[in-house]
Amino acid sequence: QVHLAESGGGLVQAGGSLRLSCTASENTFSDYRMSWFRQAPGKEREFVASISRSSTATWYADSAKGRFTISRDNAKNAVYLQMNSLKPEDTAVYYCAAVNRIVDITTEDYDEWGQGTQVTVSS
């Protein structure tokens, strides 16, 4: 079991960048596939990006492709989401999630979730 904590959210103008971080409390972090989801006001939580345990593979939602980059550092028990060219529609609470089972990574079938960090993009 890992406990996750996100940071790095904030207010940014459209076209700007933010880097979100998610740190895990347990040294078994490398056993987990890590993903980022987001939830905009009045909408369901949606998949953003995912990275395999050894960083050999990444997946992105269409909305994130070409603008967002997911990465991880297992030595630091951390996963990151670099977000560039931000748009007002990227405004949401961003969550990191961890899973050590084979699942459909785009669904919410994850073992652990962080509390979320707010990202607000002004026009």
Side-chain angles (χ1 to χ4, degrees):
Q1 185 177 12
V2 292
H3 297 282
L4 305 174
E6 302 95 337
S7 62
L11 174 64
V12 64
Q13 288 187 333
S17 298
L18 280 175
R19 187 193 193 208
L20 305 183
S21 300
C22 171
T23 56
S25 61
E26 303 296 327
N27 289 330
T28 55
F29 175 76
S30 61
D31 291 342
Y32 290 82
R33 176 191 303 278
M34 298 298 299
S35 297
W36 288 94
F37 286 74
R38 68 185 184 185
Q39 187 168 20
K43 296 186 177 180
E44 295 185 349
R45 190 153 53 184
E46 65 177 6
F47 171 78
V48 176
S50 186
I51 188 166
S52 63
R53 289 174 291 182
S54 57
S55 302
T56 53
T58 56
W59 298 262
Y60 295 93
D62 287 343
S63 59
K65 288 179 182 176
R67 300 188 301 126
F68 295 1
T69 302
I70 188 171
S71 61
R72 68 189 293 165
D73 185 340
N74 287 344
K76 296 182 178 180
N77 292 351
V79 62
Y80 308 100
L81 186 67
Q82 177 67 43
M83 305 187 294
N84 299 328
S85 302
L86 282 162
K87 305 174 182 179
E89 51 263 43
D90 294 318
T91 295
V93 177
Y94 284 71
Y95 300 88
C96 63
V99 65
N100 64 359
R101 298 170 287 116
I102 298 175
V103 299
D104 179 345
I105 60 172
T106 65
T107 70
E108 295 188 49
D109 187 13
Y110 281 70
D111 300 319
E112 302 295 337
W113 293 83
Q115 293 299 307
T117 186
Q118 175 71 47
V119 171
T120 303
V121 184
S122 63
S123 58

